[in-house]
């Protein structure tokens, strides 16, 4: 099929951009011809091109997987499916088309029928180095400098090496994940780290939610009950309580995390579900 992906922007690489890259790459591996459109492509065009995903501003397509309601009249298509990534007004369902939520919270908010969770390329995101038996290296994939400042203080007190990434673009983030023993972040960054066999603490500091929030040290019980794709502000953290989460570290949990991602968030299964709903 000729398939078009759309997204509000292509750079920097965040949740929906990573979604497009993972889904598009898997579709190409299956023999589909995949293009992408964005009104704000910025520096993202060559990043997607390396996966074989061509940037276009017009064309005819069998299927459009639409993010952020940015499709224009320059495109003609047989079927359009809208992907709802969140609960802000820009993510509201499109009348007259199939709408799919990326997690249960989004589904409930918009009253939708279908959920297809985030998918991770477990071949790209895999362990190339084992985590240490004790924590030495801590990676932050948090989106805010406020979160990184909190983690910097904790790591200094514990004498850990710390690598913050807020405000940076790291397209090959799997290399940094494999440098680390444990990873902080929320949402898709947690799944990327889990797929690389790392223990993860779900945490960030976004003022519009709460200065320090997240699900904490992830376990199968937390993962199975989560409805927010690991973005939920279920716990509020102080420096002291967040530091205590590091005491739960067990490198074997990283192996369990990868097995969970393979079973529940494998990009192959996710694309199977997407295509089934697009028929």
């Amino acid at each position: 099929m000729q398939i078009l992906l759309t997204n509000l922007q292509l750079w920097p690489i965040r949740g929906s951009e990573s979604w497009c890259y993972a889904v598009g790459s898997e579709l190409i591996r299956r023999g589909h011809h995949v293009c992408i459109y964005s009104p704000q492509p910025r520096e993202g065009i060559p990043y997607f091109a390396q996966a074989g995903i061509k940037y276009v501003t017009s064309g005819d397509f069998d299927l459009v997987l639409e993010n952020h309601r940015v499709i224009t009249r320059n495109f003609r298509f047989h079927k359009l499916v809208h992907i709802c990534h969140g609960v802000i007004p820009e993510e509201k369902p499109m009348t007259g088309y199939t709408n799919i939520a990326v997690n249960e919270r989004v589904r409930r908010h918009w009253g939708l029928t279908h959920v297809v969770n985030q998918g991770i390329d477990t071949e790209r995101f895999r362990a190339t180095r084992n985590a240490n038996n004790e924590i030495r290296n801590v990676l932050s994939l948090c989106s805010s400098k406020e979160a990184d400042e909190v983690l910097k203080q904790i790591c200094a007190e514990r004498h850990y090496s710390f690598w913050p990434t807020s405000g940076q673009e790291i397209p090959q983030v799997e290399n940094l994940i494999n440098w680390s023993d444990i990873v902080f972040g929320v949402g898709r960054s947690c799944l990327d780290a889990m797929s690389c066999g790392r223990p993860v603490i779900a945490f960030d500091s976004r003022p519009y939610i709460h200065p320090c929030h997240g699900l904490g040290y992830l376990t199968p019980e937390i993962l199975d009950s989560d409805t927010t794709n690991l973005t939920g502000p279920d716990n509020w953290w102080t420096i002291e309580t967040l530091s205590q989460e590091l005491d739960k570290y067990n490198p074997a949990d990283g192996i369990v995390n990868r097995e969970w991602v393979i079973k529940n968030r494998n990009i192959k299964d996710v694309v199977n579900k997407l295509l089934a709903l697009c028929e």
Side-chain angles (χ1 to χ4, degrees):
M1 284 194 295
Q2 302 284 328
I3 299 176
L4 176 70
L5 309 173
T6 76
N7 208 62
L8 178 61
Q9 61 186 30
L10 301 187
W11 198 267
I13 303 300
R14 296 291 185 261
S16 62
E17 295 80 23
S18 293
W19 184 94
C20 288
Y21 191 92
V23 169
S25 298
E26 177 60 21
L27 289 168
I28 287 173
R29 284 192 287 268
R30 299 183 184 203
H32 298 289
H33 183 262
V34 181
C35 296
I36 194 164
Y37 165 73
S38 170
Q40 302 174 42
R42 300 175 180 169
E43 297 90 345
I45 293 176
Y47 177 71
F48 283 87
Q50 71 183 358
I53 304 171
K54 180 182 177 182
Y55 179 77
V56 295
T57 56
S58 63
D60 298 331
F61 293 89
D62 301 304
L63 173 65
V64 176
L65 297 176
E66 160 83 329
N67 294 335
H68 306 135
R69 306 166 66 94
V70 297
I71 192 75
T72 74
R73 293 181 179 179
N74 293 334
F75 295 99
R76 292 178 295 275
F77 50 86
H78 176 69
K79 186 176 181 65
L80 183 146
V81 174
H82 180 235
I83 313 298
C84 299
H85 287 267
V87 298
I88 60 175
E90 291 80 1
E91 302 281 4
K92 68 181 179 181
M94 294 178 68
T95 304
Y97 298 103
T98 300
N99 292 273
I100 298 174
V102 299
N103 61 53
E104 181 62 23
R105 181 181 65 170
V106 172
R107 186 199 70 76
R108 289 201 303 260
H109 179 85
W110 296 119
L112 300 178
T113 302
H114 305 295
V115 174
V116 177
N117 286 298
Q118 295 274 2
I120 302 300
D121 182 347
T122 57
E123 293 300 314
R124 174 186 173 189
F125 290 93
R126 58 185 177 84
T128 58
R129 185 191 73 83
N130 293 330
N132 290 304
N133 290 331
E134 297 181 353
I135 298 175
R136 297 179 185 175
N137 304 316
V138 175
L139 173 65
S140 169
L141 297 179
C142 298
S143 61
S144 71
K145 292 183 178 179
E146 291 80 7
D148 282 345
E149 284 301 315
V150 170
L151 297 177
K152 181 180 178 181
Q153 179 177 336
I154 291 172
C155 290
E157 292 173 352
R158 287 174 168 258
H159 305 290
Y160 298 154
S161 296
F162 176 58
W163 194 307
T165 61
S166 60
Q168 303 178 42
E169 280 307 317
I170 307 172
Q172 306 303 323
V173 68
E174 61 269 29
N175 295 331
L176 268 185
I177 293 173
N178 274 290
W179 164 85
S180 71
D181 298 313
I182 192 167
V183 178
F184 286 82
V186 294
R188 191 181 182 92
S189 61
C190 293
L191 297 172
D192 290 343
M194 289 166 58
S195 186
C196 289
R198 291 305 187 264
V200 172
I201 295 177
F203 164 78
D204 207 334
S205 180
R206 295 177 290 185
Y208 59 89
I209 296 180
H210 188 277
C212 292
H213 68 87
L215 294 169
Y217 190 89
L218 296 180
T219 64
E221 293 74 22
I222 292 175
L223 293 166
D224 289 339
S225 63
D226 175 59
T227 63
T228 68
N229 192 40
L230 306 179
T231 62
D234 291 49
N235 298 307
W236 315 132
W237 302 99
T238 65
I239 289 180
E240 291 74 20
T241 59
L242 188 63
S243 180
Q244 290 168 9
E245 290 295 284
L246 287 163
D247 294 331
K248 300 177 182 179
Y249 176 78
N250 182 344
D253 291 336
I255 298 172
V256 174
N257 284 347
R258 177 167 172 81
E259 292 173 349
W260 190 92
V261 171
I262 290 173
K263 179 180 178 182
N264 297 282
R265 296 292 188 271
N266 193 316
I267 190 62
K268 293 180 173 59
D269 297 332
V270 165
V271 168
N272 285 341
K273 294 176 182 177
L274 273 176
L275 293 178
L277 291 171
C278 293
E279 293 178 351

